[in-house]
Amino acid sequence: MSGPSYVIRGSVSLPEAELMWRFSRSSGPGGQHVNTSDSQVELRFDLAKTEALPPVWKERALERLESRLVGGVITVRSSEHRSQWRNRETAAVRLTVLLAEATAPPPRARRKGKIPRGLNERRLREKKQRAETKRGRTGRDWT
């Protein structure tokens, strides 16, 4: 496991050895040597086979990223920059952010709060007052 690694959260990081890089020409308008270098970066990470993530995180990520996975592999592309090196950095950051969000623990369940008695009594008192006002509008006694 030599080379740089990308920290997801805490002490968990992705080793460079498990990342697969592919470079191709960026799309967009061309002409006069524009976009002729291989600056688009495609970063692939085999989420299903990795041992870098704790089992609980891996399970959570596989479940949450199910729609983005192709055969257990997650792919991230970057072609914003003209420099391949900057596109590599961008793709790596995107992948680590994506995995950090996918492996995050679920939010704590909301506990239902009890309505204070005084608040409930005031609500019922106002409700009765409103009903009384409306009842007073009927034209029964106008004859």
Side-chain angles (χ1 to χ4, degrees):
M1 280 212 219
S2 63
S5 60
Y6 304 97
V7 177
I8 295 176
R9 193 170 56 248
S11 62
V12 179
S13 60
L14 298 177
E16 179 71 39
E18 291 191 21
L19 301 177
M20 296 164 276
W21 300 92
R22 201 172 117 207
F23 307 101
S24 59
R25 290 199 174 142
S26 293
S27 62
Q32 295 190 345
H33 198 62
V34 176
N35 291 330
T36 55
S37 60
D38 294 340
S39 61
Q40 178 175 310
V41 174
E42 184 178 284
L43 175 58
R44 296 166 53 99
F45 177 67
D46 198 339
L47 188 58
K49 293 180 184 172
T50 188
E51 296 296 322
L53 299 176
V56 177
W57 286 21
K58 186 173 163 181
E59 209 173 286
R60 208 179 283 156
L62 284 169
E63 185 182 312
R64 290 181 182 169
L65 298 173
E66 188 178 13
S67 62
R68 286 195 63 164
L69 295 175
V70 178
V73 177
I74 184 115
T75 305
V76 176
R77 283 190 186 90
S78 176
S79 61
E80 290 87 54
H81 307 289
R82 292 181 69 182
S83 160
Q84 185 186 102
W85 179 75
R86 286 188 62 195
N87 280 330
R88 276 181 73 124
E89 280 186 336
T90 306
V93 167
R94 274 193 201 152
L95 181 65
T96 53
V97 167
L98 190 68
L99 288 173
E101 288 174 359
T103 58
R108 285 177 41 195
R110 183 184 175 275
R111 280 183 28 207
K112 188 176 177 183
K114 189 177 177 190
I115 298 171
R117 201 167 103 203
L119 201 68
N120 203 31
E121 286 175 357
R122 188 175 73 208
R123 181 184 64 87
L124 293 174
R125 202 171 38 249
E126 287 171 0
K127 197 171 171 181
K128 278 185 182 167
Q129 180 64 43
R130 185 84 179 134
E132 198 59 43
T133 302
K134 287 188 172 192
R135 200 175 308 123
R137 291 179 185 160
T138 57
R140 289 181 293 187
D141 301 333
W142 288 12
T143 50

